[in-house]
Amino acid sequence: MLVHKIKLLYENTCQICGFKMHIRGDYYYLEVHHIKPLGEPHLGPDTLGNMICVCPNHHVLLDLVAIALDNDLILSMARHSINNEYIDYHNLKIVNIDNR
């Protein structure tokens, strides 16, 4: 499963702020965000290039299109490259919301 794979890759650490939410023992909590959302009307793919690991706070902010994404500021690993097309898609939603 891709979600599990990316969580392991980043060791349950938010790629935006570096926060690692320890629950207990060796259990940590982290969410995976699809940058270009799945389903209608966005039709984003379920691929690693469209996913980032985020803490719950950043996940809400991204889902509500309250913050922009900057690929240069996102923690990344050599084995995971984020597709800039999806970051541009996310950031364009912000511009469209601001211009309403």
Side-chain angles (χ1 to χ4, degrees):
M1 173 181 272
L2 293 177
V3 168
H4 181 67
K5 181 178 180 176
I6 196 167
K7 286 181 178 183
L8 285 175
L9 180 63
Y10 289 97
E11 299 177 347
N12 294 303
T13 303
C14 179
Q15 288 181 254
I16 295 175
C17 68
F19 181 65
K20 189 170 182 173
M21 183 184 289
H22 181 249
I23 302 300
R24 69 184 160 284
D26 62 351
Y27 181 72
Y28 293 84
Y29 182 77
L30 183 73
E31 297 176 358
V32 174
H33 176 71
H34 287 86
I35 302 165
K36 183 176 182 180
L38 304 175
E40 295 286 339
H42 310 285
L43 301 176
D46 191 27
T47 62
L48 290 176
N50 187 35
M51 295 178 177
I52 58 172
C53 293
V54 290
C55 64
N57 289 337
H58 278 112
H59 200 183
V60 168
L61 292 169
L62 290 166
D63 279 347
L64 296 176
V65 197
I67 59 171
L69 286 172
D70 182 340
N71 208 0
D72 293 332
L73 300 178
I74 297 172
L75 171 69
S76 62
M77 304 282 186
R79 296 172 291 175
H80 174 234
S81 62
I82 300 166
N83 188 321
N84 284 322
E85 171 189 344
Y86 307 129
I87 290 179
D88 293 344
Y89 185 89
H90 171 82
N91 291 339
L92 185 59
K93 289 190 312 183
I94 292 173
V95 170
N96 289 338
I97 288 171
D98 289 345
N99 289 331
R100 281 196 268 175

